[in-house]
Amino acid sequence: MQELEFYQNPKFHHVRHPLVEHKLAILRAMDTPTKQFADLVEEIAMLITYEATKDLPVEKVKVRTPLEVAECQMVSGKAVGIVPILRAGLGMVSGVQKLVPNAKIGHIGLYRDHETHEPVEYYCKLPTDAENRTLIVVDPMLATGGSASDAIKMIKKRGAKNIKLCCIVSAPEGIRRVLAEHPDVDLYVAAVDRCLNENCYILPGLGDAGDRLFGTN
Ligand code: PRP
Ligand code: URA
């Protein structure tokens, strides 16, 4: 898999860790119940966020411990925003929030038309200072990349400049599209799957993430 050309792109990040692999295996299983599926999406989102926030700026601070003053570092500078792509992206928000509790949350409403497989936009509300924030866009699935790429376009139109996209399961087609259409955006994924099927579902994938998260179908 490492031979796929996008592994050479410094904006592409495949988050590899035994715990991520373990959680992904349970997530993919067709008999994993809704509650456990939602918990796993949250946990994997947290582990991806750990990687995606590695470059947050820090500043030196002095902290008084019970014994003496310690030289410490705290996150400084740009604030963070979390932008879930509705609806499945909602499942990742709490995982990101656990690591970045002060983040503001925007929402982008997009769904894939089941006939054309093209994304249809229906909602966009971002933090008012989106242009000054690092925006972490979250969606568990990156299939054709149409939804994520359109969401990023909508966010850029509203002035955002520093954008990261975090997905759980991805297909090479979607990775290539996002990297080509948004070369300035860092892309983090937990899994790179084989390909898309004729309905643009990811293989082997995990099925419809929104339906599995919210118990609909
Ligand atoms: C899914 C998924 C992504 C999109 C990925 O959402 O959550 O947003 O499809 O496909 P793409 O990369 O080919 O655009 P869906 O449209 O099924 O909506 P939902 O989240 O409301 O279920
Ligand atoms: N959206 C999903 O939820 N699953 C896929 O496999 C592709 C798009």
Side-chain angles (χ1 to χ4, degrees), residues 4-23:
L4 294 169
E5 79 296 347
F6 44 77
Y7 278 91
Q8 306 307 319
N9 187 327
K11 300 302 254 184
F12 175 70
H13 311 268
H14 184 171
V15 179
R16 289 157 181 271
H17 191 284
L19 291 176
V20 173
E21 297 294 334
H22 182 91
K23 289 174 193 300

Side-chain angles (χ1 to χ4, degrees), residues 85-89 110-114 117 119 122 139-148 174 200-201 208-211:
I85 301 178
L86 302 178
R87 122 196 101 130
L110 283 178
Y111 66 89
R112 283 203 320 177
D113 183 284
H114 280 287
H117 309 304
Y122 61 88
D139 191 332
M141 308 305 280
L142 182 66
T144 64
S147 306
C200 296
Y201 272 79
D208 188 304
D211 282 344

Side-chain angles (χ1 to χ4, degrees), residues 45-93:
M46 196 174 357
L47 293 165
I48 298 173
T49 302
Y50 176 77
E51 284 297 317
T53 50
K54 256 187 176 162
D55 60 354
L56 283 182
V58 290
E59 64 188 2
K60 286 190 176 143
V61 292
K62 287 190 171 36
V63 172
R64 186 169 292 282
T65 78
L67 298 176
E68 60 177 28
V69 172
E71 299 270 1
C72 301
Q73 296 195 348
M74 290 185 86
V75 172
S76 69
K78 282 199 182 118
V80 172
I82 309 167
V83 185
I85 301 178
L86 302 178
R87 122 196 101 130
L90 288 173
M92 295 176 71
V93 172

